[in-house]
Every structure is written in C-alpha cells, then in structure tokens.
Amino acid sequence: MIAFLIPLLLSNVLQSIGQLAGAIVVGRWIGVDALAALSAFFPLFFLLVSFVIGIGSGSAILIGQAYGAGNMDKLKSIVGTTLTFTFLLGIVLAAAGGIFTEDILRLVGTPANIMEVTVNYARIMFWSLPVMFLYMVYTTFMRGTGDSKTPFYSLIVSTVLNLVFLPVLIFGWLGLPKCGIYGAAYANLISTVITFVLLLLYAHWKKSPLRLDASVRKHLRMNKEMLKLLLRLGIPSSVSMILVSLSEIAVIVFVNRFGSNATAAYGSVNQVVSYVQMPAISLGMTVSVLAAQSIGAKQQERLKEVIRAGIVLNYIIGVVLMIPIYIFSKNILSWFITSPQTLDIAHQLLMITLWSYLIFGHVQIIAATMRASGVVLWPMIFSVISIWCVEVPVAYLLSYHTNLGIRGIWLGYPAAFIVSMILVYSYYWLSWKKKRIISLVE
C-alpha cells in the first residue's frame, strides 16, 4: 500500500503545486481581488469536473477488478468506453459552461468588483475541459492497474511545464502578451495538453495494456452494456461529488455576503487544506484500487488487510501534517495574503476546521472499500445527508441567525464529517461487512 500510495500522494501534491504557485503569484503580485476571482470560480469548476471524477472512480473499480482477474479484453472495453464517453461529456460541458458563465456566477453572488475578471478566467477553463477530462481518466486507468508511478512522472512533467509557463504568460515575458490572471488558466491548459500527448506516446512505447492500439480503438464506439455498468458505478459517485460541489457553491454564497476579503480568505484556506485532504483522498484511491484487485482475485483476507492499513496510515499521515500547520498557520497563510484583515479571517477558518479532516480521511477509506465492491448508492446517500442536512444548514443558521457571523460557516465542516463517520460506520458494521463480495467483471 505504501509503495502505491507514495507516488499517488506525490502526484496529488504536484498537481496542486501549479495551483499553489498561481495563487501565490496572483494574490501577492496582482492583488486580493484577482485571488478572490480565482476563489469565486473554484466551486463552479469543481462542480463541472465532479461528474468525470465519479465516472473515473467507477472505471477504476472495473479496471482494478478486471486486472486482478487477468481479463485484458474486458479491461480494454472499459478503457475505450470511458474515453469516448468522457470526451463527449467534456465537449457538452465546455459549450454550456462557456455560454452561461456570467449567469451562473451572478446566481452564486460573485462580488461585482471581481465579476468581469472571474467570467473571462472561467471561460478559458471551460474550453479546456475535454482535454482535461481525457487526461484525468487516462491516469485513473493506470492507477487501476496498480501503476501509480507513471501518472506521478507525467505530473512532474505537467507541473514543471506549468511553472515555466505561469510567469511567462502572467507577466508577458519573452515577447509574449501580458495575460495577467488569465495566464494562470492558459499555463494550466498548455501544460495539460503537452503532458497528455507525451503520456500516450510513453504508453505506446512501453507496450502498456492501456495503449491506444487497435484492440482499444475498436472499443471507442462505446459498449452499451459496459457503459451501463460504468454509469451504475459512476453516477452515484458523480452525484455525491456534484452535491459536494453544490454545497461549496452554497458556502461561497454565504461567504460572499461578508465581502471580497472573506472570499479571498476562503480561497487561501482551501489551498492549505488541500494538502491535508490529499493524503486522505489518495488513501481512499489506494484502498479502492487494491480492494478492487483483491476482489477480482478473490482474496478476501487481503481485502481486510487493505482496510486496516488504510485507516492506520490516515491518522499517522494526518497528524504529521497538521501539527506544523497549526504551529505556523499565519506564516503559511501569509504566502497568499498581504491584507491583515483577510489574514485574520483565514486564520480563524483554519483553526476551526483543520482537525476534522482526520475524520474526513477515515470516512474516505471505508466508503472507498464499499465502492470497490460495487456498493455505491449508500455512500452517496450518506454524503447527501451529511452535507445537505448538516453542513449547509449549520453554516446558514450559525452565520445568519447567531452572533458567530462568518465563524458559523466554518463550523459546518466538522459537523458534517462527524455525522458522515457515524452513518458510514453504521452501515459498514450492520450490513456491508456481512455480504459476500462478488467481482463485477466475472
């Protein structure tokens, strides 16, 4: 598990370094309003990619089981169907997002002083969706076969390219036009396209079972039965991700009411917290892949060991990360923020919510195990309950109807994580643990 986790974890860290560098450059050298524009758009963008993340998790389950069972023909059918479906989905979302960007941003209450910049930035990101979706699912395929190193190496390339293009496009170096905040979006798009092409060439050179040869291309027409199975697994995960995204949009509406300083604070804390979430999310992905392979190979004892190891690693890694963040929180937040008022708001948010991501990680591992066995509906239901019956109402009531003000918004996160833990474990012990687990690709 550690051998698989380390490249995966480093991949997630590298993936966010470009975003981190962009946030630092934008926040410190362009200004708080520009950083607020990035923060205002992030929940909307996450909403759009959520469906593909869910479909990718569904394909990872199927690929893990097919690979564990040694069924290469089934594996290639999964690859072809998923690539075609996600590409078509990316085109539809890019068109819809590009057309209705301003209407959506007005609906979520984006502050007027950052509206124009946010709209223009958003449109660039929308049109990059088809390529981003293909890159995302292809790296998911590789991890499903147990290869977390190749996606890691590809992200090294992507991150280096992003860091090279970022200042060049933002400040207009080397004779290129000065793009300002939009340079961050262009840098992300260009680096993703180049990396995806290199990844395909590498897979072909290594004769990977995932390479886009004739045996995979014949499945690009989409197998109806495979698509049904993929959607059955992917849609509940996608719905769960989308509802998480919608809750973040609801939260940003609450936050926007307190002004652009609060919006910028929210964005900067998301950057810091993302590094705490990464081990939890990475462990969830690791457990999902290894559990799916164990199920495909019919190794039930190995499945139990995967669960135990995942939970132990969650608490060890989480505590190691959280202690220095608590100690140096203001210094870390000052990388993004120069305004003392914004810094105080961000520090307050971090202190209230950080510890609860240990619980978040624990829930991710149990839910990932359930999904790897094909139980996808109940984790979605529990996610809906914890977010829409706990997090959003708590954030609304405490911020609008008490003297806590903006602090009330932050308290919604730990409340939701605790309820989610109770629900997932109740189902795990009462129902799922007693089931006979059967591979979906037999």
Side-chain angles (χ1 to χ4, degrees):
M1 182 174 284
I2 291 173
F4 184 91
L5 174 64
I6 290 174
L8 179 59
L9 182 57
L10 291 175
S11 295
N12 287 333
V13 171
L14 283 171
Q15 194 168 28
S16 68
I17 283 177
Q19 298 172 356
L20 176 65
I24 292 173
V25 172
V26 169
R28 294 191 66 86
W29 282 282
I30 301 180
V32 169
D33 284 351
L35 180 59
L38 294 180
S39 304
F41 172 65
F42 176 77
L44 176 59
F45 185 71
F46 187 68
L47 170 64
L48 292 173
V49 302
S50 291
F51 191 79
V52 170
I53 293 173
I55 295 300
S57 69
S59 68
I61 292 169
L62 294 175
I63 284 177
Q65 291 191 4
Y67 190 78
N71 192 337
M72 293 298 107
D73 186 63
K74 186 74 70 174
L75 182 146
K76 292 181 179 184
S77 177
I78 297 164
V79 170
T81 299
T82 307
L83 285 175
T84 302
F85 179 74
T86 52
F87 181 68
L88 294 175
L89 180 67
I91 291 174
V92 171
L93 290 179
I99 293 168
F100 299 109
T101 302
E102 186 168 353
D103 297 318
I104 297 170
L105 289 171
R106 289 190 189 281
L107 185 64
V108 301
T110 303
N113 61 314
I114 61 173
M115 175 61 75
E116 183 179 356
V117 173
T118 307
V119 168
N120 292 330
Y121 178 86
R123 284 191 173 130
I124 299 168
M125 295 300 294
F126 281 136
W127 289 111
S128 70
L129 288 178
V131 175
M132 291 182 66
F133 283 2
L134 290 175
Y135 177 66
M136 287 167 59
V137 296
Y138 200 77
T139 54
T140 300
F141 298 157
M142 290 184 161
R143 294 185 183 107
T145 63
D147 179 9
S148 60
K149 291 181 180 179
T150 301
F152 169 57
Y153 297 144
S154 73
L155 275 171
I156 292 177
V157 174
S158 178
T159 303
V160 170
L161 289 173
N162 192 50
L163 292 175
V164 169
F165 287 124
L166 190 69
V168 171
L169 294 172
I170 286 178
F171 300 114
W173 294 349
L174 304 177
L176 294 174
K178 183 178 180 180
C179 299
I181 185 177
Y182 312 126
Y186 288 127
N188 182 67
L189 173 58
I190 294 169
S191 61
T192 299
V193 171
I194 294 174
T195 305
F196 182 52
V197 171
L198 293 174
L199 187 61
L200 293 177
L201 293 173
Y202 178 78
H204 186 77
W205 176 64
K206 293 291 289 184
K207 301 188 185 304
S208 165
L210 299 171
R211 67 188 183 277
L212 298 185
D213 58 9
S215 64
V216 171
R217 290 197 297 271
K218 72 179 183 180
H219 293 293
L220 291 176
R221 64 185 185 277
M222 290 197 296
N223 180 297
K224 289 183 180 179
E225 293 303 315
M226 186 57 64
L227 182 59
K228 287 180 183 178
L229 183 56
L230 180 65
L231 293 177
R232 181 169 74 81
L233 292 173
I235 285 178
S237 297
S238 297
V239 170
S240 180
M241 296 289 292
I242 288 169
L243 289 171
V244 169
S245 305
L246 288 173
S247 73
E248 290 302 310
I249 291 175
V251 168
I252 201 69
V253 171
F254 302 156
V255 172
N256 286 341
R257 188 171 65 96
F258 292 92
S260 58
N261 279 333
T263 307
Y266 172 80
S268 62
V269 169
N270 275 341
Q271 289 287 339
V272 176
V273 167
S274 69
Y275 287 92
V276 178
Q277 283 181 299
M278 273 177 200
I281 294 170
S282 299
L283 273 168
M285 294 172 66
T286 301
V287 167
S288 181
V289 169
L290 297 183
Q293 290 184 2
S294 299
I295 292 167
K298 300 180 181 180
Q299 296 177 347
Q300 299 298 316
E301 287 304 314
R302 184 172 182 268
L303 177 61
K304 295 176 184 178
E305 294 172 2
V306 167
I307 298 170
R308 285 195 295 267
I311 292 172
V312 170
L313 284 172
N314 170 65
Y315 286 99
I316 292 173
I317 297 171
V319 169
V320 168
L321 284 174
M322 287 180 184
I323 289 174
I325 292 176
Y326 268 120
I327 295 172
F328 302 107
S329 56
K330 284 202 170 181
N331 302 86
I332 294 169
L333 289 167
S334 67
W335 296 349
F336 313 94
I337 301 168
T338 55
S339 164
Q341 182 181 358
T342 307
L343 183 61
D344 286 342
I345 296 171
H347 179 256
Q348 187 181 82
L349 164 58
L350 196 61
M351 292 298 100
I352 291 172
T353 62
L354 185 62
W355 64 272
S356 63
Y357 284 92
L358 287 172
I359 301 174
F360 169 81
H362 196 134
V363 172
Q364 288 291 306
I365 290 162
I366 301 301
T369 308
M370 293 164 63
R371 292 189 187 100
S373 69
V375 178
V376 292
L377 182 60
W378 282 107
M380 182 202 76
I381 293 172
F382 298 150
S383 178
V384 171
I385 292 172
S386 62
I387 291 170
W388 285 98
C389 297
V390 179
E391 179 189 331
V392 174
V394 167
Y396 173 78
L397 291 172
L398 294 183
S399 63
Y400 278 74
H401 299 288
T402 71
N403 293 328
L404 291 171
I406 197 170
R407 293 191 300 276
I409 297 174
W410 313 148
L411 290 170
Y413 289 94
F417 295 155
I418 291 170
V419 170
S420 184
M421 178 83 145
I422 293 169
L423 292 172
V424 169
Y425 254 104
S426 297
Y427 180 82
Y428 176 76
W429 287 108
L430 295 176
S431 180
W432 182 84
K433 196 175 181 184
K434 300 175 183 178
K435 290 186 177 181
R436 180 173 174 267
I437 301 171
I438 302 172
S439 174
L440 298 168
V441 297
E442 289 183 345

